[in-house]
Amino acid sequence: MSQGQQIPPWLQEQLMKLQQSQQNLQSIMAQKQQLDMELMESDRALEELRKASETDPVFKHAGTILIKSTKAALITELEEKKELANTRSTVLAKQETRIKESIKEQETKINEMIRGAQKPPSQ
């Protein structure tokens, strides 16, 4: 295609779909990064909690305040939070894989369409 030509509508549509898939991939990767940070935070909190004795006072965040709790309750809560985050991370990883495969397929399709559009008309 020369510079004077416009992109055909069918190609524009495919390019838009590709761009949307790429944006979805970025969103998933950002969510995974956020989950990884949450997991690290939970791991650090669990590590500190396990160092504390049973008689040490422990607290948890509830919005902008701290509430007194028990060591066992906080450990259970953090372990559940980690389990949920791991499950969400697994789901996001599967979505990421599917989207990456879809992007590859879309890129291949677009390249084939472009090659087909650039061929001189057969006589």
Side-chain angles (χ1 to χ4, degrees):
M1 277 181 242
S2 67
Q3 280 188 322
Q5 292 178 328
Q6 282 191 326
I7 297 175
W10 49 267
L11 183 54
Q12 283 180 342
E13 182 181 337
Q14 293 303 316
L15 290 170
M16 285 175 48
K17 286 180 182 178
L18 176 62
Q19 186 177 26
Q20 185 176 14
S21 294
Q22 290 169 334
Q23 289 171 346
N24 288 342
L25 179 61
Q26 286 177 338
S27 172
I28 286 170
M29 291 173 78
Q31 289 176 50
K32 277 182 61 179
Q33 186 178 21
Q34 179 66 31
L35 276 174
D36 289 344
M37 289 173 47
E38 285 180 28
L39 281 167
M40 287 190 321
E41 199 174 286
S42 293
D43 282 337
R44 276 186 266 140
L46 279 167
E47 185 180 321
E48 291 302 317
L49 263 175
R50 289 190 173 112
K51 289 179 187 176
S53 74
E54 294 299 323
T55 57
D56 288 341
V58 292
F59 299 86
K60 70 175 187 174
H61 277 279
T64 58
I65 62 170
L66 295 175
I67 297 176
K68 191 171 184 174
S69 185
T70 65
K71 179 180 173 179
L74 286 179
I75 288 174
T76 301
E77 186 178 317
L78 284 169
E79 286 174 345
E80 287 174 0
K81 184 178 177 181
K82 274 184 61 175
E83 187 177 326
L84 179 61
N86 281 323
T87 302
R88 288 174 50 206
S89 184
T90 301
V91 169
L92 287 173
K94 288 179 182 177
Q95 287 178 338
E96 179 182 12
T97 300
R98 278 195 301 267
I99 289 178
K100 283 181 177 179
E101 289 170 3
S102 173
I103 287 172
K104 282 182 185 177
E105 290 171 8
Q106 290 171 328
E107 287 172 342
T108 301
K109 184 176 182 180
I110 289 169
N111 287 331
E112 288 172 1
M113 292 171 127
I114 290 171
R115 273 189 241 110
Q118 288 180 340
K119 289 181 184 173
S122 56
Q123 295 175 348

